[in-house]
Amino acid sequence: MGIYYDIDDILLEEEPISVLFQTGASGVGLLDPGSETNSVERSAKVTLPFWLANELFLRRAVSINVPACFSSETRKEIQADAACVDLKFRSPYFYELGCKILPLVTDKSIGPFLQYAFTSRYTEILSKSHNITGANPKFSSKLTKEESHLFEAARSSMISFKKWRVGGSRLEKASILGRKRKPTTPTESSTL
Amino acid sequence: MYGRRASQLLRELAACEAGQLTAFNSDTFEQVIRECNEHNLQLQSLIRKIEDANLDIQTTRNEDHFGAVIHHLSLLRNKRCLMAYMYNRAELIQSLRWKIGPVLPQEIQEKLNYSEEEYFKNHSAAIESYMSELDLDLTVDMVPPKDPYIRVKVLDDIGELCLGDHAISLTQHSLHFIKRTDAEPFISQGLMEEFLE
């Protein structure tokens, strides 16, 4: 039930998926801009949002094509240099969509590919998030929703840590002052 | 595309900064409801078409069936989007009671829908009756206090404030050393700030 109200889950299901109708459907001409009648013909190629494509697939009304963001070109780019690929442009919900689409398509290599992409990008995200000061739009604009959540979490925890350390150093300073006073007392006594 | 407009509502929520409230988009909200009614009419007419052809509604898998399924799914989708829109806003509105207090400033009040205003009032009343039952103000000390008294700087003219046996005048830029519990509501409202040397 928790996921029912989840904004990200809803928006992720809005991602367009290209499907092939295995059967006709009448009264829904809006789905197919090329259709002349108010219906979708059998074997029409239509782009549907994921939520509709998924349900129709389960009812064996459509077959699903692998979305363009998991194409072989993207895979080659990820293999070349994962951290530099603009995944947000491919799909802001790259990983979540991949997980949801995996059971619906015959190409099962998406799973390992997603894992490879995530793990190889993760190192870069983590090291950048700890070192970046201020906003870095060039880097963070390439991240998917999931990755930018991670990035933000790591960045804010680093900021809190630094803040805590500064706060802690105030106590340290007091102890240093205490230590400083000790050497001053012998010097004072020596001058006397 | 079906459900596009409803998802726009949520995109609006997602785009705004975390913890911020956007104005209730009643235009889009009502358009989505009209869309739902349209889907319902289409769904009914397709089902009637199947029934008129003397086909079994349970087993028929023809074009009309899939058309009806698509309208049905679109209805559910729109419902989910509208529910999520209201739910996520309601969560935020609840938190306002703890952060700001029982009276909302004008600029926030304007962003609420009528039913949301009612919700806030009722939620606020429920918390208040619970607190009076406990005889404890739950909204203070949200951050564990280190000292019962704090030094505060007044940011805006507040006027006279009665504290126990004496009254102090809270004029702008004045500094006071008062009970933390007295200062906390003013700080959360942005009328005072903690004064740190």
Side-chain angles (χ1 to χ4, degrees):
Chain A
M1 199 59 186
I3 210 161
Y4 183 81
Y5 295 117
D6 189 71
I7 299 178
D8 278 334
D9 193 63
I10 293 176
L11 290 181
L12 127 79
E13 295 194 347
E14 197 65 27
E15 289 291 293
I17 306 287
S18 152
V19 302
L20 199 66
F21 266 81
Q22 303 293 333
T23 160
S26 56
V28 289
L30 193 74
L31 295 181
D32 186 2
S35 144
E36 284 166 15
T37 54
N38 186 24
S39 58
V40 177
E41 304 288 321
R42 195 195 147 103
S43 72
K45 204 178 167 195
V46 184
T47 306
L48 298 180
F50 177 81
W51 57 268
L52 192 53
N54 183 29
E55 292 289 338
L56 289 178
F57 177 83
L58 297 177
R59 290 174 173 76
R60 298 203 190 92
V62 298
S63 65
I64 287 180
N65 298 323
V66 177
C69 55
F70 306 111
S71 66
S72 55
E73 279 153 49
T74 312
R75 294 183 198 207
K76 273 178 200 153
E77 280 177 47
I78 291 274
Q79 263 149 23
D81 190 352
C84 288
V85 183
D86 186 350
L87 277 188
K88 193 183 180 183
F89 169 72
R90 304 272 144 75
S91 164
Y93 298 100
F94 187 78
Y95 301 109
E96 296 93 326
L97 186 67
C99 292
K100 289 211 176 198
I101 206 119
L102 188 60
L104 312 181
V105 293
T106 44
D107 184 3
K108 296 298 174 205
S109 62
I110 291 178
F113 162 64
L114 284 180
Q115 198 180 5
Y116 174 78
F118 187 76
T119 45
S120 42
R121 283 164 71 87
Y122 180 68
T123 342
E124 187 75 9
I125 293 169
L126 198 66
S127 70
K128 279 244 165 68
S129 67
H130 283 178
N131 298 320
I132 279 178
T133 44
N136 188 338
K138 205 180 157 197
F139 174 71
S140 49
S141 68
K142 286 178 186 170
L143 302 180
T144 73
K145 259 269 163 44
E146 174 83 24
E147 287 170 341
S148 55
H149 281 321
L150 261 178
F151 180 76
E152 264 317 305
R155 206 171 69 96
S156 69
S157 68
M158 201 59 194
I159 290 171
S160 320
F161 172 68
K162 279 182 184 152
K163 207 172 143 193
W164 173 79
R165 207 165 55 175
V166 171
S169 76
R170 226 186 271 160
L171 287 170
E172 277 171 24
K173 199 176 165 191
S175 65
I176 288 167
L177 281 173
R179 237 180 281 142
K180 259 185 188 167
R181 205 174 288 158
K182 271 176 201 162
T184 50
T185 11
T187 45
E188 270 171 32
S189 59
S190 62
T191 49
L192 276 169
Chain B
M1 184 53 67
Y2 299 141
R4 175 70 44 86
R5 196 165 280 138
S7 73
Q8 233 112 56
L9 279 177
L10 292 165
R11 230 169 267 274
E12 219 172 74
L13 283 191
C16 105
E17 223 177 296
Q20 294 293 313
L21 196 66
T22 51
F24 188 84
N25 194 339
S26 53
D27 279 353
T28 313
F29 201 84
E30 266 151 38
Q31 277 171 3
V32 175
I33 291 175
R34 273 203 292 281
E35 232 174 69
C36 288
N37 289 334
E38 184 61 30
H39 280 306
N40 188 26
L41 286 178
Q42 300 254 15
L43 175 67
Q44 302 278 355
S45 83
L46 284 167
I47 286 178
R48 223 172 297 129
K49 218 168 137 191
I50 299 174
E51 282 171 344
D52 288 347
N54 276 330
L55 294 166
D56 184 9
I57 198 91
Q58 300 290 339
T59 54
T60 310
R61 294 288 177 269
N62 62 5
E63 297 192 348
D64 294 331
H65 168 79
F66 284 109
V69 163
I70 290 173
H71 282 296
H72 176 66
L73 291 171
S74 306
L75 261 175
L76 291 181
R77 171 73 180 178
N78 279 343
K79 179 185 162 189
R80 184 182 175 196
C81 290
L82 293 178
M83 295 280 277
Y85 186 68
M86 291 309 281
Y87 178 84
N88 284 291
R89 285 177 64 89
E91 289 266 282
L92 219 150
I93 290 165
Q94 274 188 30
S95 74
L96 292 178
R97 174 64 185 82
W98 297 93
K99 284 185 201 149
I100 302 177
V103 183
L104 293 179
Q106 188 64 30
E107 69 262 26
I108 291 181
Q109 193 91 35
E110 280 165 3
K111 288 175 179 171
L112 301 185
N113 166 306
Y114 172 72
S115 61
E116 288 174 332
E117 277 175 35
E118 284 299 299
Y119 179 72
F120 180 78
K121 271 184 217 151
N122 293 339
H123 182 67
S124 182
I127 290 175
E128 257 151 59
S129 80
Y130 179 65
M131 289 194 302
S132 68
E133 210 176 287
L134 287 179
D135 196 22
L136 183 68
D137 189 353
L138 295 173
T139 58
V140 294
D141 291 339
M142 296 302 261
V143 179
K146 284 186 178 160
D147 202 318
Y149 290 89
I150 56 167
R151 194 177 288 280
V152 290
K153 185 180 171 190
V154 181
L155 298 175
D156 206 353
D157 276 317
I158 300 170
E160 291 278 315
L161 178 68
C162 231
L163 297 174
D165 52 349
H166 64 286
I168 54 168
S169 154
L170 301 171
T171 47
Q172 201 175 354
H173 304 310
S174 59
L175 296 179
H176 300 276
F177 192 63
I178 56 176
K179 260 193 198 156
R180 195 189 163 96
T181 45
D182 290 327
E184 221 164 287
F186 291 109
I187 293 173
S188 67
Q189 285 164 29
L191 297 171
M192 284 181 185
E193 66 178 8
E194 191 171 1
F195 185 75
L196 300 166
E197 265 112 311

